[in-house]
Amino acid sequence: MVDYEQYSFQLNRAVETIKTGKLKKVVLSRIIEKTGLINQQAGHAFFGLCQSFPDAFVYLFSAGAHTRWMGASPETLVRFDGNRAFTMSLAGTLPVDGNLEWSDKERVEQQIVTDYIVENLKGAGALQVVAGQPFVSRAGKLLHLKTEISFLIPEGRNRYGFVLALHPTPAVCGSPKDEAIRLIRSMEQHHRAYYTGFLGPWSTKGAAQLFVNLRCMAFSVHRSHIYVGGGITADSVAEREWAETSWKAETLSWLFDSK
């Protein structure tokens, strides 16, 4: 687990790299450690998330070796309905009750994600790619900038190819992707495991919807690790980015406060 001083050092290094022109954005994550959860507590926590986040994808699964994962993701990676598909660009975070305004940094960050998704979908052969206008979307006690994107899948194309074209988006990795991955691996001291992956009900032909694994944690009876991250751009400031990750952690950290 990194403290604020270590996180600030990582962020400043990322900003310096971005200002060289090698990157537009990179997502740095950190882990917040809490106490462990026994089976009964995990069950109560899961139902608590379901009640608190009715519009999120709430899940609980076993990862083996006495480790489980739980989360309440607000972000759809892609949803399929016949030959039509839908995705979203979700970036920028503010607390509902923080009385704060969106800065140019958040708007630029969100546009980077939108442009990347549209470009990659077209490159993968998607037809009629349409991106709407960004709007403010609420997820629990947080606000995000969101753009809805739709596209058509050409007849005979494997839909999973479009999943791979979308993942990982700049909302969880960065842009350009390969350079962002290299920087993340050189700086983050933890293994992300399932964090920023994707999961959900899948079908090769019928209705299916996959979600980005955000607002999540890995836990055992001994300890719980909440994974949180934030998008870093040239205008990022350590204090604000640290606060954003703390806001995101509250999606799950309140479960421990009520134990």
Side-chain angles (χ1 to χ4, degrees), residues 55-176:
D55 298 324
F57 177 68
V58 181
Y59 72 85
L60 170 64
F61 72 82
S62 173
H66 310 294
T67 299
R68 295 174 182 171
W69 280 75
M70 184 186 304
S73 175
E75 183 171 350
T76 296
L77 178 66
V78 61
R79 175 171 63 86
F80 296 99
D81 184 8
N83 68 336
R84 294 199 62 83
F86 307 86
T87 184
M88 64 173 65
S89 164
L90 195 72
T93 303
L94 289 178
V96 170
D97 56 357
N99 197 29
L100 299 172
E101 296 183 357
W102 298 106
S103 67
D104 290 341
K105 182 266 177 185
E106 280 104 16
R107 297 186 185 281
V108 169
E109 178 188 354
Q110 205 270 345
Q111 191 62 49
I112 289 172
V113 179
T114 301
D115 292 345
Y116 173 93
I117 290 174
V118 169
E119 180 180 346
N120 272 28
L121 286 173
K122 290 180 177 179
L127 304 176
Q128 298 181 28
V129 181
V130 178
Q133 292 298 313
F135 62 95
V136 177
S137 176
R138 179 168 179 167
K141 295 182 180 181
L142 298 178
L143 301 174
H144 302 289
L145 291 174
K146 177 179 177 180
T147 298
E148 295 179 337
I149 302 167
S150 65
F151 61 98
L152 285 177
I153 300 174
E155 187 175 353
R157 290 289 300 275
N158 185 334
R159 59 172 55 171
Y160 194 68
F162 294 99
V163 175
L164 297 180
L166 289 168
H167 174 77
T169 74
V172 297
C173 176
S175 178

Side-chain angles (χ1 to χ4, degrees), residues 188-202:
E188 289 187 356
Q189 300 174 15
H190 58 273
H191 178 44
R192 289 192 177 189
Y194 292 117
Y195 170 63
T196 64
F198 57 86
L199 72 173
W202 174 254

Side-chain angles (χ1 to χ4, degrees), residues 7-21:
Y7 180 83
S8 180
F9 175 81
Q10 291 178 346
L11 181 141
N12 290 332
R13 178 183 163 192
V15 169
E16 290 174 2
T17 303
I18 291 169
K19 288 182 176 179
T20 66

